[in-house]
Amino acid sequence: MAKQRKKLGQILVEWQVVQPNDLSDALDYAQANGKRIGEALVELGRCTEDDVAKALAAQFDMEYVDLDAGVIAPGAMDLLPEELIRRHLVLPMQQVDGRLKVIISDPLDLETLDVLRFRTSLEVETSIASRAKIKKFIDQVMAASEVSIDKTVQEMRDEALLGGSADALDAELDADSAPIIKLINLIISEAVRTRASDIHIEPMTDRVRVRYRIDGVCLERDRIPKRMQGAVIARLKIMSGIKIEEKRLPQDGRIKLHVAGEVIDFRVSTLPGYHGESVVLRILRPDSVMVGIQSLGFEEDDYQRFIQVIKRPNGIFLVTGPTGSGKTTTLYAALQELNRSDRKIITVEDPVEYNFAGINQCQVRESIGLSFERILRAMLRQAPNIILVGEIRDLAVADVAIQAALTGHLVFSTLHTNDAPSAITRLIDMGVKPFLVASSIQAVMAQRLIRVLCPDCKQPDENPDKYVLRLLGVRPGDAEGRTLYRAVGCAKCNNTGYRGRLGIFEMMQMNNQLRELAFNRGATKDLRAAAMATGMRNLVGDGRLKVLNGTTSIDEVARVTQAEGLMAADEVVETAEV
């Protein structure tokens, strides 16, 4: 009789890596989000990816490989094509007697093993390492061997010189020429590798500027010669399926590519300008919105309030903030938490950027009369439990959303306001009747994104700016026993000092006092004072906690909140609660 294989969770409990209650929480999280138990434990912070990889090795009686120990010989990566290594995240170790030894992260990925056998005509022997370390190793090795953008551009300049004139090269440079294709592919792959959210191709007077937006900040990457402008932009238009000849009007398109082993969508936008068309590629990574609620950056009290609000049967939950503040990611995380087979969820978005299994997603198409309002009225006849409205833009959409909330639906939406209390007055200013606002809104949450200090280079801040500390409401003694950190910069964070982002939040739950103020058209300052008196922590206060926890720097919180006009020193100091 075959020996029964131990379960992964059982192994981790036996090794005392996790506790039984951790395992129970992870099982609930995995079932709710369609995750494996190992993924759930890592996302909940109960163990590391290495712990899971070691347990998988024990479970399947395989060898665990520590990639930090330098176990892969320099020439081993040549045993497999780069495309295969990146797409399937597999590392070749050695080939002996017709057998290829490789490192994988998932022992149940039989498809990858079949592909390797078919492509190499060899028997495959597998070992295990964590997915994160495999990806990191591949990026490091491939980055070292890749031809850089700078080198490619220089080679093209050299070709022009060898040919006798730049005109000779210009005649050969078109959207389908090998140098242009190579250059575009390098730009895209480098942007993905450096965690960029956008690629900006911007024609200037004498050059074409390439910038990446990383963690919300634009960083200049390269300058492409002006003569390549037409070919570069035409190539991007071809890839995104938009009209090459149309240069007078803005256009939108999409690109889907395999990059670094992942299928990634790019939303492409062109805009005519004085020096030529500007092109922006928005990089849409599915994993960037499938982060789980606990990974958004909530403090424990706000997390509990958030869960309580999204599990109510009806009402409206609004998330506010400017463009790029993470509102969509927060709402998608809420939908993931609620996405069960016994609930019907419908969304109306403009545009639909990410697809989710089990959720009915509708895209606005104003050109054919398919507006927010029309879709909303139609979806109410579909008997949904939960509705997501991409944005409340006008009175018509607000009225339908409120009627849906009052007739037993849970409605999520976004609004462009600076803070949470302003959302109430904004809806009333739109023309929504105050009694409807007071009765339908369950909670409003404002948010911003702050950059997280790079763990590899952050250093203690021995002399923090006292003025900024005062703006953040940090009193003498608040930082006692805690270490404040400052950004430094290293190769791993592109010398910015930051890597990744988290949210800072302002959660305002409606209560009788706030509903009465809304009903009586109360001023924003009165709503804010009432909310703060009942336990709401403002954006500055949440940022202050993340500074004191060592998550970010005082300069970063000051940059984000001061830019929005949210910091007033006297008010912050008086209302601060740490």
Side-chain angles (χ1 to χ4, degrees), residues 41 57 170 254 332 425 451 456 495 503 541 560:
L41 285 165
D170 291 343
R254 291 184 85 112
Y332 278 151
T425 51
R451 293 180 294 172
D456 294 300
N495 293 310
V560 172

Side-chain angles (χ1 to χ4, degrees), residues 32 61 83 122 132 145 168-169 181-182 294 319 321 340 480 557:
D61 196 22
E83 169 266 335
L122 298 170
S145 61
L169 181 62
I181 293 173
K182 182 179 181 181
Q294 291 198 345
V319 180
R340 306 279 181 86
E480 192 172 330
V557 176

Side-chain angles (χ1 to χ4, degrees), residues 55-75:
L56 282 171
Q59 184 184 24
F60 288 90
D61 196 22
M62 296 169 66
E63 178 190 6
Y64 168 77
V65 177
D66 183 4
L67 290 173
D68 293 332
V71 294
I72 297 184

Side-chain angles (χ1 to χ4, degrees), residues 326-387:
K327 301 187 298 293
T328 302
T329 300
T330 297
L331 290 179
Y332 278 151
L335 292 186
Q336 280 181 265
E337 179 74 18
L338 300 171
N339 188 14
R340 306 279 181 86
S341 59
D342 60 341
R343 296 189 182 115
K344 178 158 185 173
I345 303 174
I346 305 181
T347 74
V348 47
E349 304 170 64
D350 184 20
V352 174
E353 293 185 346
Y354 301 96
N355 295 314
F356 292 90
I359 297 178
N360 301 275
Q361 295 174 271
C362 304
Q363 179 159 323
V364 172
R365 292 179 181 170
E366 296 284 359
S367 60
I368 60 172
L370 195 61
S371 62
F372 268 107
E373 182 187 3
R374 188 168 183 179
I375 294 174
L376 260 175
R377 293 188 185 280
M379 69 166 56
L380 291 177
R381 296 193 289 272
Q382 297 275 312
N385 300 103
I386 299 164
I387 295 169

Side-chain angles (χ1 to χ4, degrees), residues 2 26 66 79 84 99 132 190 209 243-244 266 356 360 371 375-376 406 438 450 500:
D66 183 4
L79 294 173
L84 201 63
R99 299 180 69 82
E190 184 180 67
R209 182 170 66 177
K243 297 177 182 177
I244 303 176
F266 300 83
F356 292 90
N360 301 275
S371 62
I375 294 174
L376 260 175
L406 294 175
I450 56 168

Side-chain angles (χ1 to χ4, degrees), residues 419-483:
D419 55 16
S422 298
I424 303 298
T425 51
R426 174 71 186 279
L427 287 172
I428 294 172
D429 289 343
M430 272 186 188
V432 180
K433 293 179 175 59
F435 77 90
L436 291 176
V437 174
S439 57
S440 62
I441 303 294
Q442 295 290 348
V444 183
M445 187 176 76
Q447 70 175 72
R448 300 291 187 277
L449 292 177
I450 56 168
R451 293 180 294 172
V452 176
L453 285 165
C454 174
D456 294 300
C457 65
K458 69 178 183 180
Q459 291 181 4
D461 192 349
E462 304 294 345
N463 296 299
D465 189 315
K466 292 181 180 178
Y467 175 70
V468 177
L469 286 177
R470 180 170 174 268
L471 285 176
L472 294 181
V474 179
R475 302 183 184 89
D478 286 342
E480 192 172 330
R482 308 195 192 203
T483 304

Side-chain angles (χ1 to χ4, degrees), residues 303-319:
Y303 171 74
Q304 295 300 335
R305 291 192 195 104
F306 184 85
I307 292 294
Q308 181 185 3
V309 169
I310 68 172
K311 292 194 173 178
R312 291 184 179 179
N314 64 296
I316 295 181
F317 177 44
L318 291 175
V319 180

